[in-house]
Amino acid sequence: QVQFVESGGGLVQPGGSLRLSCAASGFTLDDYAIGWFRQAPGKEREGVSCISGTTTVYPDSVKGRFTISRDDAENTVYLEMSGLKTEDTGVYYCAAARVQSNWHFSQTTFYGMEHWGKGTQVTVSS
């Protein structure tokens, strides 16, 4: 079965840190760009980071606080989050796009992504 499984979410105080994991099964990450996304209650899903090969992309809202990395040997992508803010609260998802397919990633516009996981909840609250 082709899927992503996200983990590592939880409740953290403002200023705290979390490390999210996104494990792929049923396919290998080598030929894919991987994106992390989040959705807060009542809001549209948005992109928070993307990695294609060694190239990474971050929107201004998380730049300098979030770091995406990949371990192709483990077939896993990580999202290190620090300096967390209450507005970072939401369900975090990962998805993948074949590098040679028609895909795009930005904070507000993304397409071509597939193999969406079920997400992991991140709550930033005091």
Side-chain angles (χ1 to χ4, degrees):
Q1 184 177 3
V2 176
Q3 66 176 356
F4 272 126
V5 177
E6 301 93 340
S7 62
L11 173 64
V12 63
Q13 292 186 340
S17 301
L18 281 175
R19 186 194 196 204
L20 306 185
S21 299
C22 174
S25 62
F27 70 106
T28 58
L29 298 178
D30 301 42
D31 298 325
Y32 287 83
I34 315 300
W36 277 100
F37 305 83
R38 68 186 178 194
Q39 188 164 19
K43 294 189 176 181
E44 296 288 322
R45 189 171 296 187
E46 63 176 356
V48 296
S49 65
C50 183
I51 185 167
S52 178
T54 58
T55 300
T56 57
V57 176
Y58 304 94
D60 289 342
S61 59
V62 306
K63 196 172 293 183
R65 301 189 298 120
F66 288 14
T67 302
I68 189 172
S69 62
R70 62 192 296 166
D71 185 336
D72 287 349
E74 294 295 326
N75 227 29
T76 300
V77 178
Y78 302 96
L79 185 67
E80 299 271 3
M81 307 186 296
S82 62
L84 283 163
K85 306 175 181 180
T86 55
E87 52 263 43
D88 294 319
T89 294
V91 180
Y92 282 68
Y93 304 88
C94 53
R98 292 182 182 270
V99 171
Q100 296 189 354
S101 69
N102 182 26
W103 67 279
H104 176 75
F105 174 90
S106 72
Q107 182 179 5
T108 57
T109 305
F110 43 88
Y111 54 80
M113 294 292 177
E114 56 185 341
H115 308 316
W116 290 88
K118 294 183 178 180
T120 184
Q121 175 71 46
V122 172
T123 302
V124 184
S125 174
S126 56

